[in-house]
Structure formats: C-alpha cells, structure tokens
Amino acid sequence: MKLRNLFVAVTTFGSILNAGYAQTKRINASAGREEYIEVEKNVKLHVTDIGEGKPFVLIHGWPLSDAMYEYQYQDISEKGFRVIGITLRGFGKSDAPYGKYNYDVYADDIKAVLDHLNIQNATLGGFSMGGAIAIHYVAKYNSAHVAKLALFGAAAPVWTSRSDYPYGFSKEAVNGLITLSKTNRPQLLENFGKLFGASDTALPAGIANWLAVINLEASPFATTQSLIALRDADLRPELSQIKIPTVIFHGVKDRICEFSLAEQMHNGIKNSVIVRFENSGHGLFVEEREKFNDELLKFLKK
C-alpha cells in the first residue's frame, strides 16, 4: 500500500512539473536579424550583423569574405556600434551565380542590402578591392545611406599602371594572375598570401592559414572576373565626387596596393586624411590590429 501511495505521489509530482514546462513559452535567442539577404531573384548575400548603435558597414577584399573582419566585429560592437559585414556575391557564404562580377554589380548589391535594412548615416568601410567598390558606391549613389567613408589598403583609384599613372602592377602582370586563376588557383592564392604581410613571413602561421581558408571559399569564376575588374577599373574621375569625411588607412610596406595609392586617393578626395601603418603590409587589419581598431573607433566617434 505504501509503495502504491509513493508511486501515485511521484506520478502526480511529475505531471505538475510537465504542466509547468508546457506552459513556459520559449524566448527566442535571435535578435531577429537576417543572415542572408536577397538582392535579386535567386541571389542571396551573407551578412554579419551584430551590436547596437550607429551603423558601420564593412566590405571585404579579394578573394576574402566578410569573415576577414572577425577581429573587428566583436571589438567595435562592444564599443556601442552596430557592425554589418556584407559578403559580395561569389565569395564566402554568399551565392555565386553565373553572370557579371564587377564594381557596378557589387555596388548595386550593397545598395540593395542597405535599402533592405533601412540603414541611415552609416560609416562605410572597405578593404582592398572592397575599398575600391566603396568609392564606386559612394560616387554612383551619391553617398546614399552613408555619412562617412573608411578605406583600408584600398586598391584605388587604379590598381594597375597606365601611361599617365605609374603606380601599381602592370596590366601584363595582372594578366598572368588571371591566367593562373584559370589554371592553378591554389598557387595563385599561395603567391598572394606570401605578399599579404609586410614580408613573406610577417603573418603568424595561424593567421595566414585562416586567411587562406577564407580565400579558397571563393567561387573560381568570381575570383577570375574580379581580377579582371581590378585590372580595368579607373576610379580617378570618381574621387572628386566624394564629399563625405574620408579616412585612408594604409600600410607603408604594402606590396599588393603600394602606399602611393593612398597618396593618390588623398590627393583626389577633398575631405580625406591618411593614417599610416608603419609596420604593416596589406594585412594591416591583423598586422597592427590594436592600432587599426583604435583608429577606427576614433573615426567612428567623430
């Protein structure tokens, strides 16, 4: 009899607990922000969107993705900013459809994301090719959604030399990169990785490997087409169209986008300043991470 009473008591207690759990409504852990945003039919871009406060939009370089800003996202968002990283089509976790891959398409995609998120008065930052695209976006859309511009080792205003522009790689050298992209992409990325830091061994092995993995995620077709865009684009006429405050971060020892490119951008963008990274090559965001983030916060808070 005692055993029966004990069984009834345990069963009743269990029923009460289950009823309590059933009445508890699950609270969503997500803030409700989208990780993938459709910019046109069948094309979705991956977006990292964290933090609260004034918006700061980041565009990655070739052939990386928004994952390159791992060591900026948390630091900057913890200082009171909403940080939004957009991965361009063809790279990282974004869709990689067959079609056009150029600065016009990339700028249109950025506009679609910022329209969708209803972003206002953002600071737009771009690294390497992403810096060139950011310049093109501001010029093409008359600074829509954007109040300030930050350029990091930007591949601008022109990445390849011309008869009237003795800076950057020769077109012949870039044609060799395009051929290698089509025939031995791993070798292309290995060569690119060696040039990324101030010297061949400047980056810690872990950081270099991490960046290499991100590079390999890119679509082979997008990788090649973006090299063609880098070779051919000339943004010199667009520099004078930029009227918003602009900061230019550039590594003095940059071997991919030489420091003279920073000086050319500064000469062409009226309201701009240069921040020199004396100990960095192209990878200034990891080579001098603390200075990079500190200088970025100063600019964001202005």
Side-chain angles (χ1 to χ4, degrees):
M1 191 67 179
K2 289 181 180 179
L3 286 173
R4 182 175 181 279
N5 290 341
L6 179 62
F7 175 77
V8 170
V10 170
T11 303
T12 303
F13 181 66
S15 299
I16 292 171
L17 282 177
N18 288 335
Y21 289 140
Q23 291 170 11
T24 300
K25 185 177 180 181
R26 186 186 188 282
I27 299 173
N28 291 336
S30 167
R33 297 180 187 176
E34 298 162 274
E35 190 177 0
Y36 294 91
I37 294 175
E38 189 171 59
V39 292
E40 65 183 51
K41 187 177 180 181
N42 298 325
V43 183
K44 290 185 178 180
L45 303 188
H46 179 263
V47 176
T48 297
D49 185 354
I50 65 173
E52 308 287 344
K54 290 183 179 179
F56 176 36
V57 179
L58 287 165
I59 310 301
H60 62 87
W62 174 95
L64 292 155
S65 74
D66 80 271
M68 66 163 279
Y69 292 113
E70 176 175 342
Y71 302 107
Q72 282 69 53
Y73 286 136
Q74 295 183 71
D75 188 21
I76 303 300
S77 66
E78 287 171 359
K79 304 298 193 304
F81 293 89
R82 178 182 179 184
V83 189
I84 302 166
I86 302 172
T87 291
L88 303 170
R89 65 171 67 197
F91 298 92
K93 297 177 182 177
S94 290
D95 286 344
Y98 173 70
K100 294 180 180 179
Y101 287 85
N102 57 45
Y103 292 1
D104 250 356
V105 171
Y106 295 141
D108 291 347
D109 285 351
I110 293 167
K111 178 66 160 51
V113 171
L114 300 185
D115 283 346
H116 181 81
L117 295 177
N118 193 29
I119 297 299
Q120 303 299 329
N121 298 314
T123 296
L124 176 64
F127 169 71
S128 196
M129 182 182 77
I133 292 165
I135 289 172
H136 185 60
Y137 171 87
V138 171
K140 180 175 182 177
Y141 286 109
N142 193 27
S143 306
H145 303 285
V146 175
K148 291 188 287 188
L149 178 63
L151 305 170
F152 320 129
V158 190
W159 193 53
T160 50
S161 59
R162 308 283 200 274
S163 59
D164 61 342
Y165 184 87
Y167 314 107
F169 289 94
S170 68
K171 285 193 173 184
E172 291 73 24
V174 179
N175 286 338
L177 299 179
I178 291 168
T179 298
L180 198 55
S181 181
K182 295 176 180 178
T183 58
N184 193 343
R185 186 168 63 101
Q187 186 64 59
L188 168 69
L189 298 179
E190 182 180 335
N191 296 347
F192 180 71
K194 288 178 181 178
L195 292 174
F196 204 76
S199 68
D200 287 9
T201 57
L203 296 181
I207 293 292
N209 291 337
W210 165 64
L211 293 170
V213 169
I214 298 174
N215 289 339
L216 283 167
E217 290 180 333
S219 149
F221 184 73
T223 297
T224 301
Q225 294 303 306
S226 293
L227 274 174
I228 293 170
L230 278 160
R231 181 195 65 192
D232 296 342
D234 186 345
L235 303 179
R236 284 178 289 179
E238 298 185 4
L239 298 183
S240 61
Q241 299 175 45
I242 298 175
K243 310 297 183 183
I244 56 178
T246 301
V247 69
I248 300 165
F249 289 7
H250 219 97
V252 173
K253 301 176 181 179
D254 197 325
R255 297 179 291 165
I256 291 175
C257 295
E258 62 186 71
F259 191 79
S260 55
L261 271 63
E263 295 170 331
Q264 293 300 306
M265 286 184 280
H266 176 55
N267 292 338
I269 301 174
K270 202 168 189 179
N271 192 13
S272 67
V273 294
I274 295 178
V275 178
R276 296 167 60 98
F277 286 75
E278 302 289 346
N279 300 314
S280 290
H282 198 51
L284 67 170
F285 62 99
V286 287
E287 289 180 276
E288 294 184 73
R289 176 184 52 80
E290 289 187 9
K291 178 179 178 178
F292 185 93
N293 289 5
D294 288 346
E295 291 290 343
L296 196 48
L297 280 166
K298 288 179 187 177
F299 183 65
L300 290 170
K301 291 176 178 178
K302 285 183 180 178

